[in-house]
């Protein structure tokens, strides 16, 4: 893996552990010589992970739409900052630049970006690992919801398995190293409709 895209909040959240996790992930990416691709902001968890990567001598690439440059306060010390016209361009470029995807704690934007890239994996549009760092159990309710979707037959267990979840950045990156793409012959079974 050359680069990993990290989706995370432009807020620091309510607990210092969230920023600490972002900083830990940034330092670990740099230590492994893996570049960061992220949303380009310099505030919240976004700023924390980018600053940690840069402090450790790593590569940090931001992708931010023009309309968010002032709102998210674009990071001006990155290795490279791509300013694009729309959220659609942002997500497409982030996907092209990355070999894997991680969600740290965040809100609507983080969830939307992670689930879109996860859906692309389900549809076979890419074969790259996707995971969440479940720091302080932040993603436990979401993971339970995905398990519920499997139980209710809205999600296949093979597709549920596309979401790797670990409690620390180190554990998730180790899981990524061991991950192998799974090919599904059929993601939709009409016989159960």
């Amino acid at each position: 893996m050359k680069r990993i895209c990290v989706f995370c909040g432009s807020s620091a959240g309510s607990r210092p552990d969230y920023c600490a996790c972002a900083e830990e992930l940034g330092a670990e990416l740099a230590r492994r010589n893996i570049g960061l691709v992220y949303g380009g902001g310099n505030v919240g968890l976004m700023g924390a992970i980018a600053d940690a990567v840069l402090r450790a001598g790593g590569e940090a690439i931001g992708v931010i739409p023009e309309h968010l440059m002032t709102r998210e306060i674009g990071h001006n010390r990155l290795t490279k900052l791509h300013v694009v016209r729309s959220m659609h361009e942002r997500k497409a470029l982030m996907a092209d630049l990355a070999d894997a995807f991680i969600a740290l704690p965040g809100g609507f934007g983080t969830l939307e970006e992670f689930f879109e890239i996860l859906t692309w994996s389900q549809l076979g549009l890419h074969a790259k690992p996707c995971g969440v760092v479940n720091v302080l159990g932040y993603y436990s309710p979401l993971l339970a919801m995905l398990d519920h979707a499997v139980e209710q037959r809205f999600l296949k267990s093979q597709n549920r398995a596309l979401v790797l979840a670990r409690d620390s950045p180190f554990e998730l990156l180790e899981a990524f190293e061991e991950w192998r793409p799974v090919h599904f012959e059929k993601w939709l079974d009409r016989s159960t409709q």
Side-chain angles (χ1 to χ4, degrees):
M1 284 183 284
K2 291 182 180 178
R3 295 185 185 120
I4 293 180
C5 177
V6 177
F7 305 117
C8 58
S10 58
S11 166
S14 64
R15 314 248 327 245
D17 304 71
Y18 298 139
C19 261
C21 179
E23 291 169 352
E24 181 184 340
L25 178 56
E28 187 63 24
L29 289 175
R31 189 185 73 72
R32 293 174 186 242
N33 201 30
I34 298 173
L36 168 69
V37 175
Y38 84 114
N42 73 357
V43 294
L45 299 190
M46 293 172 75
I49 190 169
D51 289 342
V53 167
L54 295 169
R55 267 194 311 274
E59 174 190 56
I61 298 173
V63 183
I64 192 167
E66 294 168 338
H67 74 279
L68 292 181
M69 268 298 284
T70 54
R71 193 183 267 178
E72 288 187 358
I73 312 170
H75 202 302
N76 62 8
R77 295 182 316 277
L78 299 175
T79 309
K80 174 100 176 133
L81 179 62
H82 297 273
V83 180
V84 295
R85 288 178 302 203
S86 69
M87 292 295 286
H88 296 296
E89 282 185 48
R90 177 194 222 181
K91 290 183 286 189
L93 182 54
M94 290 167 84
D96 288 343
L97 291 171
D99 302 307
F101 305 90
I102 292 176
L104 292 179
F108 284 152
T110 299
L111 295 171
E112 184 273 331
E113 289 171 328
F114 183 72
F115 273 100
E116 181 163 358
I117 208 71
L118 192 58
T119 301
W120 293 357
S121 178
Q122 176 183 330
L123 295 175
L125 300 177
H126 73 80
K128 302 173 184 180
C130 301
V132 300
V133 179
N134 194 23
V135 58
L136 298 177
Y138 183 81
Y139 280 113
S140 293
L142 178 65
L143 297 170
M145 178 62 216
L146 297 179
D147 293 336
H148 179 67
V150 171
E151 290 167 11
Q152 298 302 309
R153 294 181 41 200
F154 285 103
L155 184 63
K156 292 188 175 191
S157 58
Q158 311 94 291
N159 293 324
R160 166 63 180 87
L162 292 170
V163 181
L164 301 174
R166 299 295 186 275
D167 294 338
S168 74
F170 180 84
E171 291 170 320
L172 186 58
L173 291 173
E174 289 296 302
F176 277 11
E177 293 292 334
E178 297 169 11
W179 183 86
R180 298 293 172 264
V182 178
H183 176 71
F184 304 115
E185 285 300 319
K186 215 167 144 182
W187 64 272
L188 180 64
D189 184 359
R190 294 199 184 276
S191 67
T192 62
Q193 303 300 309

